[in-house]
């Protein structure tokens, strides 16, 4: 049942327990209990809203930074990852395979702000060997959702 | 001048009961429709992309009349993998323009003037007209709500004559959502063998069953040699507009169907065949995903109708719910028309699928849950107002 609940709310965090109970065919009490259990276990880590900021007046810049680091003895990459992800500007940190070690995604109000963060906070960290900053120019699709106008139902209204 | 030159047979066929509704709904701007008989999903991208690629590669010529050999082979593999049906791709399959063409050529290949065809109703709208056009005589077999619209051996017995040649079996059913499980099929198979009937089994919704796996009547003993299975890509892979389906059956009838198809159609659009090839090869996961989504909506709809106080048996297939509206004391058509004008929700009156559909409406759940919620809210208000 967990997997079914997660699938049903993955793209719509607003689904009510009542709707989920109907859709999945389980009692509301069971669904509610399962959800709160998953929240406690940090399987469900939050209910966010996917916003297309480009359509608002708010200025936002996103950058993807490739970071090469020296892993620390006994702690691997985790310690340095923690040093980085605790900055509130950092939206995501992933450990990568391949040509660099960490992907760091940063959001700032302006390009300058992001550049300063990299220069003043990220690059000087002792374990950081190098950084390469890539600015996002346009988001087409995020979290599995195409950030464009919703598609109209073009099917004929009544068909046999 | 042209009026008196027309075919009396074609003119004699009553117009589709859906047409009138279609015109009104199209005029109405903010109407919510539950009247659509096709998936709301787009064709999965990897399938569409394969169609595009075939065009880029210049695959714009005719294919063999029977269809691309790779596609025939892949469809036979698919039928074996999913339903344990074994057909020889070299001589027991024909690729058709949707399931519709399959039904048409099957009837034309089978019927001699005056042959009777049993058509269990309520059913999809094409069986009776196609039978008439093929020179046959359609004999409606009314199904019962108390049997959850499954077909019984007694119902066949009651309508069989010495002229009966074939029976149409269309389960999972549009419009009722009814299915026939293995036990139900075994019961009718006996009568079908006894009267030596041919079965045209329209299994276009075979992939859309909930909690029960679809069983084809052709998989029962002694039935393969008398069954033509009609199916296609429209419902399982959301490919309605591609117009591609297939028929499988014994060589003798497929040969004759291929002959008719060869003169009437030539071959199915090549782009659609390449897209279908990708679907049959790599589409099992898509089916599973879509089927899961339909199942959630199905539960939601059945529950909503029952909360409204409408009798509604649990449909186990396709994407339709067929609730009874008898307690409103309206006819199906009255109900559907009033609902459309008062609450701007379009449903299809049960009578569009045969006279015995009176007292029922067909509601499609090939819509998002959000959409369905608004529709059932409006319907709830309507039913409350009109229940004496």
């Amino acid at each position: 049942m967990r997997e079914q609940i997660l699938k049903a709310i993955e793209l719509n965090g607003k689904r009510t327990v009542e709707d989920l109970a109907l859709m999945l065919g389980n009692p509301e009490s069971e669904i509610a209990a399962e959800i709160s259990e998953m929240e406690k276990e940090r399987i469900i880590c939050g209910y966010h809203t996917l916003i297309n900021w480009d359509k608002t007046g708010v200025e936002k810049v996103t950058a993807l930074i490739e970071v090469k680091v020296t892993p620390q003895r006994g702690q691997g990459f985790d310690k340095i990852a923690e040093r980085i992800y605790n900055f509130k500007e950092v939206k995501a940190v992933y450990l990568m395979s391949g040509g660099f070690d960490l992907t760091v995604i940063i959001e700032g109000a302006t390009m300058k702000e992001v550049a300063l963060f990299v220069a003043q906070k990220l690059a000087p960290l002792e374990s950081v060997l190098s950084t390469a900053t890539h600015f996002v120019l346009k988001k087409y699709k995020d979290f599995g959702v195409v950030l464009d106008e919703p598609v109209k139902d073009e099917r004929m209204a009544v068909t046999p | 001048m042209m009026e008196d030159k027309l075919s009396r047979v074609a003119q004699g066929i009553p117009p589709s009961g859906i047409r009138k509704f279609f015109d009104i709904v199209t005029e109405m701007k903010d109407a919510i429709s539950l009247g659509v008989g096709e998936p709301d999903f787009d064709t999965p991208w990897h399938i569409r992309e394969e169609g595009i690629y075939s065009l880029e590669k210049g695959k714009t010529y005719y294919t063999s009349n029977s269809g691309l050999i790779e596609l025939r082979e892949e469809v036979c593999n698919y039928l074996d993998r999913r339903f344990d049906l074994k057909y020889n791709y070299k001589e027991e399959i024909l690729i058709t323009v949707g399931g519709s063409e399959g039904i048409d050529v099957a009837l034309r290949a089978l019927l001699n003037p005056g042959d009777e065809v049993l058509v269990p109703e309520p059913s999809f709208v094409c069986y009776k007209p196609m039978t008439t056009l093929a020179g046959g005589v359609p004999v409606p077999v009314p199904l019962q709500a108390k049997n959850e619209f499954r077909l019984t051996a007694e119902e066949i017995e009651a309508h069989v004559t010495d002229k009966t040649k074939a029976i149409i079996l269309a389960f999972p059913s549009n419009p009722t959502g009814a299915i026939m499980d293995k036990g139900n099929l075994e019961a009718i198979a006996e009568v079908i063998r006894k009267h030596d009937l041919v079965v045209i089994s329209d299994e276009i919704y075979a992939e859309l069953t909930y909690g029960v796996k679809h069983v084809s009547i052709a998989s029962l003993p002694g039935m393969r040699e008398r069954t033509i299975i009609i199916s296609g890509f429209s419902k399982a892979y959301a490919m309605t507009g591609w117009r591609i389906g297939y028929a499988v059956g014994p060589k003798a009838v497929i040969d004759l169907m291929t002959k008719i198809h060869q003169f009437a159609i030539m071959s199915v659009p090549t782009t659609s065949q390449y897209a279908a090839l990708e679907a049959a090869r790599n589409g099992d996961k898509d089916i599973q995903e879509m089927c899961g989504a339909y199942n959630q909506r199905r539960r939601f709809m059945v529950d909503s109708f029952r909360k409204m106080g409408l009798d509604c048996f649990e449909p186990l297939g396709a994407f339709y719910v067929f609730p009874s509206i008898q307690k409103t004391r309206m006819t199906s058509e009255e109900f559907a028309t009033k609902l459309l004008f008062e609450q701007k929700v379009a449903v299809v009156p049960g009578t569009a699928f045969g006279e015995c559909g009176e007292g029922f409406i067909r509601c499609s759940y090939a819509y998002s849950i959000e959409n369905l919620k608004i529709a059932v809210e409006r319907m709830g208000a309507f039913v409350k107002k009109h229940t004496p």
Side-chain angles (χ1 to χ4, degrees):
Chain A
M1 175 161 72
R2 284 191 164 195
E3 198 189 322
Q4 282 182 310
I5 295 175
L6 292 173
K7 274 191 180 161
I9 60 174
E10 188 181 8
L11 289 179
N12 187 349
K14 279 173 81 181
R15 285 213 197 290
T16 61
V17 169
E18 190 189 356
D19 283 357
L20 287 170
L22 286 178
M23 289 162 64
L24 305 179
N26 297 94
E28 283 179 38
S29 56
E30 265 179 42
I31 304 255
E34 208 58 68
I35 288 179
S36 81
E37 198 53 44
M38 286 194 285
E39 286 169 352
K40 275 187 211 138
E41 291 174 32
R42 299 285 289 161
I43 292 172
I44 297 174
C45 304
Y47 300 87
H48 293 59
T49 306
L50 183 56
I51 300 167
N52 187 355
W53 287 104
D54 286 352
K55 290 201 164 180
T56 68
V58 181
E59 286 289 335
K60 254 182 202 284
V61 180
T62 309
L64 183 153
I65 303 163
E66 299 173 1
V67 186
K68 283 186 187 163
V69 299
T70 327
Q72 285 163 337
R73 185 172 189 138
Q75 290 162 328
F77 291 98
D78 295 356
K79 197 71 196 168
I80 179 67
E82 188 186 339
R83 285 292 292 276
I84 295 173
Y85 66 59
N86 277 327
F87 287 109
K88 69 169 178 21
E89 294 88 340
V90 173
K91 295 295 158 195
V93 178
Y94 310 126
L95 179 63
M96 310 297 292
S97 67
F100 59 97
D101 304 308
L102 296 172
T103 292
V104 177
I105 294 177
I106 293 190
E107 244 176 45
T110 60
M111 272 166 124
K112 194 173 170 192
E113 195 181 299
V114 173
L116 281 177
F117 174 81
V118 176
Q120 294 176 351
K121 308 283 188 211
L122 192 60
L125 286 174
E126 211 176 313
S127 322
V128 171
L129 298 173
S130 71
T131 63
T133 306
H134 309 277
F135 285 100
V136 173
L137 300 181
K138 182 177 178 180
K139 288 184 184 173
Y140 293 99
K141 187 177 180 180
D142 219 354
F143 297 97
V145 177
V146 178
L147 303 176
D148 212 341
E149 298 299 320
V151 196
K152 228 180 110 213
D153 189 349
E154 289 180 274
R155 294 177 292 170
M156 298 203 291
V158 180
T159 46
Chain B
M1 171 257 175
M2 199 54 108
E3 287 73 13
D4 48 329
K5 304 281 185 203
L6 301 174
S7 150
R8 279 192 301 279
V9 177
Q11 279 185 309
I13 292 172
S16 167
I18 280 178
R19 187 73 227 173
K20 189 173 83 184
F21 250 80
F22 175 73
D23 293 338
I24 314 173
V25 183
T26 323
E27 299 272 300
M28 221 178 254
K29 276 207 178 103
D30 45 352
I32 292 192
S33 175
L34 301 184
V36 173
E38 61 180 319
D40 57 322
F41 300 101
D42 293 330
T43 307
W45 179 250
H46 67 104
I47 299 172
R48 282 189 272 165
E49 206 267 340
E50 203 58 40
I52 296 167
Y53 181 67
S54 79
L55 287 172
E56 280 176 355
K57 280 282 175 187
K59 303 202 172 185
T60 54
Y61 37 72
Y62 296 125
T63 68
S64 98
N65 296 127
S66 312
L68 284 169
I69 187 97
E70 307 97 291
L71 176 59
R72 279 182 280 148
E73 189 174 3
E74 209 52 64
V75 170
C76 289
N77 290 341
Y78 156 89
L79 288 172
D80 191 8
R81 179 171 79 239
R82 308 281 295 188
F83 304 108
D84 207 18
L85 294 165
K86 291 178 180 31
Y87 286 93
N88 181 340
Y89 69 93
K90 287 187 182 139
E91 48 193 24
E92 292 182 315
I93 175 167
L94 170 67
I95 304 295
T96 57
V97 180
S100 303
E101 194 223 341
I103 294 158
D104 182 27
V105 287
L107 287 164
R108 286 202 269 168
L110 286 175
L111 299 184
N112 291 311
D115 281 350
E116 290 178 0
V117 178
L118 302 183
V119 182
E121 286 186 335
S123 74
F124 183 57
V125 295
C126 83
Y127 307 120
K128 285 198 290 185
M130 287 302 171
T131 301
T132 309
L133 287 170
V137 180
V139 178
V141 179
L143 301 177
Q144 308 285 326
K146 68 171 167 45
N147 299 332
E148 301 194 334
F149 293 101
R150 296 175 195 224
L151 175 66
T152 65
E154 296 74 44
E155 285 161 344
I156 298 180
E157 286 283 11
H159 293 85
V160 151
T161 69
D162 54 0
K163 288 189 193 136
T164 310
K165 166 76 71 74
I167 178 166
I168 307 267
L169 204 61
F171 295 93
S173 160
N174 170 12
T176 65
I179 61 152
M180 293 280 282
D181 62 27
K182 199 167 179 212
N184 304 139
L185 289 173
E186 276 163 352
I188 61 163
E190 205 184 315
V191 192
I192 289 169
R193 282 191 301 262
K194 182 175 123 197
H195 294 284
D196 194 21
L197 306 182
V198 175
V199 181
I200 298 178
S201 187
D202 183 346
E203 302 182 16
I204 192 84
Y205 289 98
E207 289 287 3
L208 303 180
T209 58
Y210 310 103
V212 218
K213 206 169 152 29
H214 171 76
V215 178
S216 173
I217 195 162
S219 66
L220 303 187
M223 292 308 293
R224 187 190 187 280
E225 58 261 41
R226 59 176 70 252
T227 302
I228 306 165
I229 298 177
I230 308 291
S231 192
F233 294 83
S234 295
K235 317 292 176 177
Y237 305 95
M239 290 180 71
T240 45
W242 298 81
R243 307 308 306 124
I244 182 159
Y246 49 87
V248 292
K251 179 175 185 300
V253 70
I254 292 293
D255 275 352
L256 199 52
M257 286 167 69
T258 306
K259 191 203 268 183
I260 301 167
H261 168 88
Q262 164 192 329
F263 292 122
I265 302 284
M266 278 294 261
S267 64
V268 171
T270 306
T271 315
S272 300
Q273 293 197 54
Y274 278 103
L277 180 58
E278 169 66 15
R281 248 182 211 157
N282 299 317
D284 289 8
K285 217 178 132 213
D286 303 301
I287 296 175
Q288 201 188 328
E289 266 171 34
M290 291 191 262
C291 195
Y294 289 133
N295 195 13
Q296 297 181 347
R297 302 161 180 189
R298 180 186 69 99
R299 291 202 195 95
F300 177 80
M301 290 300 271
V302 170
D303 192 82
S304 302
F305 285 127
R306 287 183 181 164
K307 277 186 186 149
M308 273 177 223
L310 297 181
D311 282 335
C312 179
F313 81 96
E314 189 184 353
L316 295 179
F319 39 62
Y320 308 102
V321 195
F322 204 61
S324 160
I325 46 100
Q326 281 153 17
K327 62 176 258 187
T328 63
R329 308 219 179 120
M330 283 187 251
T331 66
S332 300
E333 207 168 319
E334 249 182 291
F335 184 96
T337 314
K338 272 196 181 155
L339 178 65
L340 184 56
F341 284 107
E342 286 181 23
Q343 291 287 347
K344 301 198 170 167
V345 178
V347 299
V348 183
T351 43
F353 308 97
E355 276 167 35
C356 66
E358 184 56 85
F360 297 87
I361 51 167
R362 186 193 77 174
C363 303
S364 162
Y365 51 86
Y367 299 90
S368 68
I369 290 265
E370 288 66 32
N371 215 314
L372 294 175
K373 270 177 107 169
I374 304 170
V376 294
E377 237 165 69
R378 293 188 189 178
M379 287 179 78
F382 179 83
V383 168
K384 200 170 169 197
K385 181 180 160 198
H386 291 282
T387 304

